[in-house]
Amino acid sequence: MDLKSQINMDLLPRHIAIIMDGNGRWAKKYGKPRVFGHRNGVKAVRESSESCAELGVEYLTLYAFSTENWNRPKFEVNALMALLVETLRKEVETLNKNNIKLNSIGDLSKLPDRSREALLECIENTSGNDRMTLTLALNYSSRWEIQNAARLIAEEVEAGRLHSKDIDDKVFSDFLHTRNMPDPELMIRTSGEKRISNYLLYQMAYSELYFTDIYWPDFRREDLYKAIIDYQQRERRFGKTSEQLS
Ligand code: IPE
Ligand code: IPE
Ligand code: MG
């Protein structure tokens, strides 16, 4: 069964957000340390990025490290940050080959200098690409992002540059890290967990949620196709009745 041919190209999501979860449990299944799972998750990142770009998805946003993830054992946090540097250095060529632009959301100021520098370098080196934007959520917290937007908007109002009555969805979205990006139509979480874990809370107001039991290191292009096909079979009503849509 060719899954790819079942995708309706006229109904492709413009933006897919993924919570890459289950690396630790995947490693445990093989009796290996958690970090082994993280290393093996890189292939899934590559496959999902390539297949999204090939299909014509414009934005792919991957949850790579949450603000809460700092609470993990120091060894694991250090390994994740080192893996980030190594992967960015290695993958910049593939990103350019696939015409993918790298972007990030989250508070980069708290990242180790080496990780932040590697990230900014990769963003710079891929800034001319325009087939797809791959965004990494790093030290990301949606609550923090929303609080930060509120703070910046308050400053604009205090300075007299903005009227409080003019704050609408468009203005608010412009103060989020995802400004200039459409909201994700589809959110995928792997590993069987069914929660949002502080990810894109504002942006996901009307996203279709798709949960799969597959652990992230096992996630392949066919799994992405399955998620898109499932999404395409849903009726997105945005508050209306089914009859109004036909
Ligand atoms: C996701 O896998 C990767 C990160 C959160 C960085 P986990 O490390 O959360 O794997 P599990 O959930 O413990 O299996
Ligand atoms: C969410 O996964 C964060 C990332 C995928 C980077 P977690 O594994 O940290 O989420 P919880 O703790 O199970 O909610
Ligand atoms: Mg997890």
Side-chain angles (χ1 to χ4, degrees):
M1 184 178 54
D2 179 16
L3 284 168
K4 198 178 179 184
S5 65
Q6 292 176 38
I7 296 175
N8 178 351
M9 290 301 174
D10 298 326
L11 264 184
L12 211 57
R14 289 185 67 199
H15 183 178
I16 298 179
I18 303 184
I19 302 179
M20 314 184 283
D21 199 14
N23 295 354
R25 280 163 284 164
W26 184 88
K28 199 171 175 192
K29 209 174 77 178
Y30 294 99
K32 303 272 192 187
R34 297 179 54 83
V35 173
F36 181 74
H38 297 316
R39 297 197 79 86
N40 279 278
V42 176
K43 181 150 192 239
V45 171
R46 199 181 300 125
E47 280 225 8
S48 39
S49 311
E50 278 187 349
S51 25
C52 277
E54 278 164 26
L55 283 172
V57 172
E58 293 166 67
Y59 300 89
L60 174 66
T61 302
L62 304 177
Y63 205 176
F65 195 88
S66 73
T67 52
E68 290 78 15
N69 288 146
W70 293 113
N71 298 320
R72 291 190 177 195
K74 201 169 169 2
F75 172 78
E76 182 173 346
V77 170
N78 290 346
L80 278 166
M81 291 299 152
L83 182 64
L84 177 68
V85 177
E86 186 189 317
T87 308
L88 289 168
R89 297 249 151 88
K90 249 201 284 201
E91 297 297 320
V92 64
E93 228 173 281
T94 319
L95 290 173
N96 282 328
K97 192 186 86 202
N98 288 307
N99 197 9
I100 298 171
K101 184 206 298 254
L102 189 75
N103 177 41
S104 76
I105 54 175
D107 182 6
L108 301 187
S109 70
K110 304 262 167 29
L111 294 183
D113 291 346
R114 263 171 59 79
S115 308
R116 188 179 47 256
E117 281 157 19
L119 178 72
L120 294 176
E121 204 179 296
C122 193
I123 289 176
E124 172 69 27
N125 288 338
T126 60
S127 62
N129 300 337
D130 60 6
R131 183 156 74 147
M132 186 182 83
T133 301
L134 170 65
T135 301
L136 295 183
L138 278 165
N139 188 27
Y140 179 81
S141 149
S142 186
R143 285 190 169 180
W144 181 85
E145 182 189 34
I146 293 169
Q147 288 149 10
N148 191 246
R151 202 157 29 238
L152 295 171
I153 290 170
E155 283 169 18
E156 290 301 298
V157 173
E158 279 168 11
R161 289 189 290 267
L162 182 69
H163 288 292
S164 58
K165 63 173 174 8
D166 291 332
I167 301 169
D168 58 9
D169 197 23
K170 167 83 181 70
V171 169
F172 201 88
S173 299
D174 276 347
F175 286 90
L176 297 172
H177 288 177
T178 48
R179 64 187 151 269
N180 302 325
M181 285 159 78
D183 288 339
E185 294 93 334
L186 170 62
M187 194 287 294
I188 300 169
R189 183 172 190 147
T190 58
S191 89
E193 304 301 350
K194 295 180 183 66
R195 55 177 169 264
I196 300 301
S197 303
N198 205 2
Y199 194 40
L200 302 171
L201 301 178
Y202 190 88
Q203 297 87 337
M204 278 207 272
Y206 264 103
S207 302
E208 295 296 332
L209 310 181
Y210 179 88
F211 299 99
T212 168
D213 287 341
I214 291 168
Y215 292 144
W216 180 249
D218 287 332
F219 193 82
R220 291 293 170 268
R221 48 182 74 223
E222 290 71 28
D223 302 305
L224 177 86
Y225 299 156
K226 275 184 206 157
I228 295 176
I229 292 164
D230 189 284
Y231 156 81
Q232 292 184 331
Q233 280 155 1
R234 301 186 191 184
E235 183 175 61
R236 306 189 72 206
R237 288 193 284 274
F238 299 100
K240 295 184 182 172
T241 68
S242 191
E243 290 70 26
Q244 283 176 296
L245 298 169
S246 52

